[in-house]
Amino acid sequence: MHIGILEDDHDQRDYLTLCLESQGHEVAGFERASQLLRALRERSFDLLIIDWQLPDACGMELTRTLRNEHGWQGLILFITASQGEEDVVHALQHGADDFLSKPINPRELSARVSALGRRLANSKASNGSQEVEALPGQYRIEQDEHTIWCGEHPVNLTQREYRLAVLLLRRVGELFSRAYLLEMVWGINGDISTRTVDTHISRLRRKLELDGRRGLRLKSVYQHGYRLETCTPSALSAASA
């Protein structure tokens, strides 16, 4: 399999790479979540191994984001020094396919990766249906086609616009900072000064008609970021971009 490892500890990353390459897997290592997100736009992975504690993100939150906002369908093996039962449950609920505690035993790592590989093969053999997700307002997502429908019409979005829209539509009412959006959608350091987020937000507001007419309004929050809000019928005519 082609495996990506997100682990900020250099020695631990090298150890995992050595174990997996000795089994014939192709491995790429990453130190920061932003590096992995950039790589996912340029190459494909069958399995991601993600550590909990990272310098620029929480591995648990990244796992959830990959599943819910990026629509990533590959396998995820979550690793951490914690061995608590609640942590295992939490990781699986956030989208991990398996959980492995440190220190990593190479034989257990090999067995778990092989088991995940079998699951991947079975999934590819049986997968033939398209998943459609209904959303608040008059919107829905066709995940297999990476398409968002506004009412009865599909909306032409770039890949990055699609990722940003999915994040917002799946978490209506949540306030997002520009820094968070840069990290999770663009895979770049959130401290960078750029108008990219604002430009894409403006395009989404226009393309998806997020001005309240379809029950959702994309609102700017002064000095922080953006929030997608539901609109009551009485507020629709007063909604503005």
Side-chain angles (χ1 to χ4, degrees):
M1 290 191 292
H2 190 185
I3 301 174
I5 300 174
L6 180 55
E7 166 64 72
D8 64 309
D9 185 284
H10 184 270
D11 292 336
Q12 183 72 25
R13 191 169 64 250
D14 285 349
Y15 172 71
L16 291 169
T17 299
L18 180 63
C19 291
L20 294 168
E21 286 183 340
S22 68
Q23 300 162 21
H25 299 293
E26 182 180 349
V27 181
F30 306 94
E31 181 179 357
R32 301 175 66 88
S34 55
Q35 294 171 346
L36 174 61
L37 290 172
R38 283 197 298 271
L40 286 172
R41 296 197 296 269
E42 301 170 356
R43 66 180 89 169
S44 60
F45 294 94
D46 300 304
L47 168 67
L48 296 179
I49 298 177
I50 299 178
D51 189 28
W52 192 333
Q53 301 297 331
L54 300 166
D56 62 338
C58 168
M60 197 80 75
E61 175 67 13
L62 176 64
T63 298
R64 190 200 61 75
T65 298
L66 285 170
R67 294 299 193 204
N68 296 338
E69 276 78 63
H70 291 252
W72 201 74
Q73 300 296 314
L75 298 164
I76 295 178
L77 173 61
F78 202 81
I79 60 172
T80 179
S82 173
Q83 300 184 27
E85 180 178 345
E86 285 301 315
D87 293 329
V88 176
V89 172
H90 199 45
L92 296 175
Q93 288 177 337
H94 275 63
D97 295 286
D98 204 351
F99 185 98
L100 193 57
S101 297
K102 298 178 181 179
I104 303 296
N105 181 299
R107 292 183 61 192
E108 183 179 6
L109 174 66
S110 174
R112 289 184 182 273
V113 169
S114 295
L116 289 170
R118 291 193 296 272
R119 184 188 305 181
L120 177 65
N122 293 334
S123 175
K124 287 182 177 179
S126 60
N127 184 25
S129 61
Q130 185 179 65
E131 186 174 353
V132 178
E133 177 184 355
L135 298 164
Q138 301 173 22
Y139 302 92
R140 70 179 188 274
I141 296 174
E142 290 187 357
Q143 295 184 30
D144 291 350
E145 299 296 331
H146 278 208
T147 302
I148 295 178
W149 287 67
C150 179
E152 299 302 317
H153 304 285
V155 180
N156 183 24
L157 299 174
T158 66
Q159 184 181 47
R160 200 155 284 143
E161 288 171 347
Y162 171 82
R163 290 178 177 175
L164 179 59
V166 169
L167 187 154
L168 294 167
L169 287 166
R170 283 179 171 160
R171 296 162 71 176
V172 172
E174 188 167 340
L175 181 61
F176 294 100
S177 69
R178 290 177 177 82
Y180 178 87
L181 294 175
L182 281 173
E183 289 278 1
M184 294 297 103
V185 178
W186 279 264
I188 62 178
N189 192 321
D191 295 332
I192 294 176
S193 178
T194 174
R195 297 289 296 174
T196 296
V197 174
D198 307 278
T199 300
H200 279 72
I201 287 289
S202 179
R203 290 175 184 168
L204 280 187
R205 188 184 283 122
R206 174 177 51 82
K207 288 184 174 183
L208 293 175
E209 301 178 356
L210 295 171
D211 54 5
R213 75 183 78 175
R214 294 186 180 273
L216 291 176
R217 178 173 51 196
L218 185 50
K219 182 179 179 181
S220 302
V221 180
Y222 181 64
Q223 290 188 338
H224 189 85
Y226 298 95
R227 178 169 54 221
L228 191 59
E229 301 176 340
T230 57
C231 296
T232 59
S234 59
L236 293 182
S237 60
S240 63

